[in-house]
Amino acid sequence: FAGSNAAGVISGEANITVDHDGTCDEHLDEVYGGGNLAEGNAGTVTIECGADVGDVYGGANQANVTNDITLNITGGQINRVFGGNNTSGNISGSITVNIEIDETACKNASLNYVYGAGNQAAYTPTTPGAYPAVNLIKGTVKQNVYGGGLGASATVTSNPTVTLEGVTVNGDIFGGGDAAPVIGNPTVVANYGTSANIFGGGKGETAIVTGGTHVTIDQTEGKTL
């Protein structure tokens, strides 16, 4: 946790970087940019080449986050990346998830799922114009990418955006959530990269979109999908 456990507000920057050098094996089940039960700021989560992590959260476990969040995934072996919180608590500001993995430098890099929002926690930002943004810049995602959240309780009340700029997504891209609804207007912009399918909305029966969906395919400058 970059933040506090059950008490103690983080009012400044709360940044966490996970990397690994040498020959020792080290595995972290979970990494949080925020705290456990304590409200406060989160900050920037950076996961680099040598990291071995189960799940990465830009937000907290069960607490409110009072500022913007950024996740920079540049390598590592990761199961799931969540821009938001785990089980509860809200995030006041925007969420930015950047997937930019150099697979030449990080030969063992592995990433399964990406979510712009939370696992079971809803995301209703109080900052005007705040939203979750997933930027797929470089590397490979083995499974699916979602602009929204995972569980049915992980509602996003905002306009999630997924931008495909060069990542190979072996699964599908969804502007919405897996089982999570979106109260807003999801957007997917596909400029360059690979995906099995692209959906403006969500995946499951409960992943309702209360708004419009926007999908843009831009193949200018010789770029291909």
Side-chain angles (χ1 to χ4, degrees), residues 55-67:
D55 294 335
V56 178
Y57 297 89
N61 184 18
Q62 304 177 56
N64 291 335
V65 173
T66 54
N67 64 338

Side-chain angles (χ1 to χ4, degrees), residues 139-159:
T140 300
V141 177
K142 292 184 176 180
Q143 302 292 335
N144 296 337
V145 174
Y146 302 87
L150 173 56
S153 59
T155 303
V156 170
T157 305
S158 184
N159 304 316

Side-chain angles (χ1 to χ4, degrees), residues 99 112-116 134 136 141 143-148 162 167 169 171-176:
I99 308 298
N112 288 327
Y113 294 91
V114 178
Y115 301 85
V134 177
L136 304 170
V141 177
Q143 302 292 335
N144 296 337
V145 174
Y146 302 87
V162 179
V167 167
V169 180
D172 300 329
I173 294 175
F174 297 87

Side-chain angles (χ1 to χ4, degrees), residues 120-207:
Q120 303 300 321
Y123 171 60
T124 303
T126 56
T127 301
Y131 63 95
V134 177
N135 301 313
L136 304 170
I137 302 165
K138 189 176 183 180
T140 300
V141 177
K142 292 184 176 180
Q143 302 292 335
N144 296 337
V145 174
Y146 302 87
L150 173 56
S153 59
T155 303
V156 170
T157 305
S158 184
N159 304 316
T161 299
V162 179
T163 303
L164 179 62
E165 291 285 356
V167 167
T168 297
V169 180
N170 291 336
D172 300 329
I173 294 175
F174 297 87
D178 185 333
V182 171
I183 302 174
N185 307 298
T187 296
V188 178
V189 179
N191 295 325
Y192 173 60
T194 301
S195 177
N197 297 286
I198 295 174
F199 300 91
K203 180 182 178 183
E205 292 183 2
T206 59

